[in-house]
Amino acid sequence: MLQRRPARPVPPPLSGGAGFVAAIATGVAAGLAAGAAGAAGGGPGLVAAVAVAVAVVGTAALAVATTAAGASAAAAVCWGFADGFGLHRLAELHTGTRDLELLAGLLATALVAHLVPAVARDSAGYPAR
């Protein structure tokens, strides 16, 4: 009888190292967006919101395109830039409550964004029970 050959897993387009390098560019974008919001006359709340928004979107986009290690690195790097330039000034990293909540949120975003496409890809073509 003919049997269906099991599908080989599709590797992500970016390796973990390439995901880390792309995360640096995304983190720089978060820092620049925070600086632009500050230069446009936005208050500290707007600057922080812009930096966090760019960091979340960048982390999610990179997590889809890289390995689990690359997704975690993307979250950490984006947190560093968003925390250092958005929530605080002069690249000062703090470990207060809201800083660690941002880190946890970015790590959760990276995990979910990385796993959802993989689960959808793995379950495609199989009947639901």
Side-chain angles (χ1 to χ4, degrees), residues 89-111:
R89 298 285 179 215
L90 305 174
E92 297 171 343
L93 296 179
H94 293 220
T95 56
T97 303
R98 72 179 184 169
D99 304 306
L100 295 179
E101 287 173 351
L102 175 60
L103 178 59
L106 286 174
L107 285 171
T109 299
L111 176 67

Side-chain angles (χ1 to χ4, degrees), residues 14-127:
L14 295 176
S15 67
F20 177 75
V21 171
I24 293 172
T26 303
V28 168
L32 290 175
L46 177 65
V47 170
V50 167
V52 168
V54 172
V56 167
V57 170
T59 297
L62 287 174
V64 170
T66 189
T67 63
S72 300
V77 170
C78 286
W79 170 79
F81 278 95
D83 188 58
F85 295 106
L87 298 179
H88 307 287
R89 298 285 179 215
L90 305 174
E92 297 171 343
L93 296 179
H94 293 220
T95 56
T97 303
R98 72 179 184 169
D99 304 306
L100 295 179
E101 287 173 351
L102 175 60
L103 178 59
L106 286 174
L107 285 171
T109 299
L111 176 67
V112 170
H114 180 72
L115 289 180
V116 167
V119 169
R121 188 173 48 242
D122 289 343
S123 64
Y126 294 101

